[in-house]
Amino acid sequence: MKIGLGTHFNALVGAATLNQVRALGFRMVRIDAQQSDGPLTRTMIAETVAADLEPYVIVRDANQLRWVLPGTKVELRNEPDIEGPDAATYRAFLVDMAQGAIEYDLQLYAPAISNLNRRGFAYLRELGEMPATVHGSLHWYAHGSNPQTPHPGSSSREDEVNTWLGHIGGGQPWGVSESGFHTARRRRYTDWRKNLPLYDRWTDLDVVTYVEAEIAFWARMGAEFYLLFQLNDGPEDIPEHRFGIRSGVFHENGSIDWTWKPVAYVLGLSPFLRLAPQANKSP
């Protein structure tokens, strides 16, 4: 199973960073090119290939396929069960994309549902059988604080995956194109005695442990790849900004000083110092 990282969001990353990503042991990178034009799409792919990394490119429609290198893995849109379109419209796009992928010699993956939960499975049921040439892609995020807890409606993590395989047919290659764990504080529950919200967060050590376990789990379940979300943290202590494998000091002049987080070394090809256990509660 190949391990990759979400790096590009309609912008270049640069050779220095991509070479570091390669040195850390990642072998694929996820390129979100949905809002990119032809020159930018080609350049994002080119800098990825130059760093000896395999590109996995998200596109918005079949018109973008002509900008992608032959043989590349491409994915149609992102989490349509949340972002749209409805399943019938997505299926029409998918049929069009499947023909385009054959024409341009590309490997098409879909439908990139947001999770193996009731919402994701409902979308799959509405979508129906995918074209025979389309490979499977999914996103997965934990339900609650324990990643081994299945989403409501499934009896186990394995049951989630088996349900997924039943929907896509199971004969085609498939992979996890987005998954990860954030270190932002999370509201767990309210202390009714004081009427105060209580928070906790996953520590860097937690994230390393969970990602190691996920890599082993998805390899055991037969995934072709597992793509970690994502390269960079953002400036705020909110979940969307704390999935990165490197954190930044954001200066007023717009410059950023980046530091690799422990999870960056999870593949073991670079030195990794285990952190001592940290307190899990925040005020």
Side-chain angles (χ1 to χ4, degrees):
M1 184 178 74
K2 284 189 175 180
I3 312 301
L5 178 68
T7 53
H8 295 71
F9 295 89
N10 303 291
L12 298 176
V13 171
T17 296
L18 289 173
N19 287 334
Q20 289 177 310
V21 168
R22 180 67 168 75
L24 288 166
F26 296 95
R27 294 296 178 261
M28 294 177 65
V29 298
R30 181 175 181 257
I31 299 172
D32 190 334
Q34 293 181 88
Q35 305 304 318
S36 301
D37 59 16
L40 178 55
T41 300
R42 293 189 183 101
T43 306
M44 289 190 294
I45 294 172
E47 71 170 4
T48 297
V49 173
D52 195 23
L53 291 161
E54 180 183 353
Y56 183 93
V57 184
I58 306 173
V59 296
R60 65 181 178 271
D61 56 42
N63 292 325
Q64 290 183 288
L65 296 181
R66 66 186 188 275
W67 304 332
V68 180
L69 282 176
T72 300
K73 293 179 174 65
V74 295
E75 184 177 76
L76 175 58
R77 302 208 175 187
N78 179 70
E79 300 187 344
D81 54 314
I82 294 177
E83 299 181 3
D86 61 79
T89 303
Y90 187 91
R91 178 169 179 77
F93 286 156
L94 190 57
V95 170
D96 190 32
M97 282 278 290
Q99 183 58 43
I102 294 172
E103 179 181 349
Y104 290 104
D105 189 23
L106 302 170
Q107 302 176 58
L108 177 58
Y109 287 75
I113 56 170
S114 64
N115 222 329
L116 298 186
N117 55 17
R118 286 170 174 157
R119 179 188 61 237
F121 289 141
Y123 194 87
L124 285 176
R125 287 193 295 272
E126 294 176 14
L127 183 63
E129 185 177 355
M130 295 197 298
T133 57
V134 178
H135 303 175
S137 66
L138 65 97
H139 296 180
W140 184 87
Y141 289 96
H143 174 70
S145 60
N146 182 358
Q148 295 310 310
T149 301
H151 291 86
S154 297
S155 60
S156 66
R157 292 285 309 278
E158 290 80 3
D159 183 44
E160 291 179 351
V161 178
N162 289 332
T163 301
W164 150 259
L165 291 174
H167 280 293
I168 68 168
Q172 291 281 27
W174 61 276
V176 183
S177 58
E178 185 182 306
S179 182
F181 300 89
H182 67 78
T183 54
R185 75 173 190 169
R186 303 174 303 146
R187 182 168 178 163
R188 292 293 307 282
Y189 53 86
T190 298
D191 186 339
W192 59 269
R193 293 165 299 182
K194 300 179 181 178
N195 196 28
L196 292 174
L198 298 178
Y199 298 90
D200 71 359
R201 67 177 72 230
W202 286 319
T203 66
D204 283 326
L205 178 59
D206 290 332
V207 172
V208 170
T209 301
Y210 296 155
V211 170
E212 287 177 335
E214 289 305 304
I215 289 172
F217 173 79
W218 292 106
R220 177 165 58 85
M221 297 306 296
E224 181 187 12
F225 54 82
Y226 177 84
L227 307 186
L228 193 61
F229 185 79
Q230 59 181 343
L231 175 60
N232 294 328
D233 274 354
E236 299 179 48
D237 189 22
I238 58 175
E240 292 83 356
H241 286 201
R242 290 292 183 267
F243 279 97
I245 69 167
R246 65 178 185 177
S247 59
V249 177
F250 295 80
H251 301 287
E252 291 184 1
N253 64 5
S255 64
I256 307 171
D257 295 327
W258 294 111
T259 301
W260 295 105
K261 296 161 67 175
V263 69
Y265 304 101
V266 72
L267 300 182
L269 299 186
S270 292
F272 176 62
L273 177 64
R274 291 281 189 174
L275 299 182
Q278 303 174 42
N280 218 30
K281 297 292 181 182
S282 64

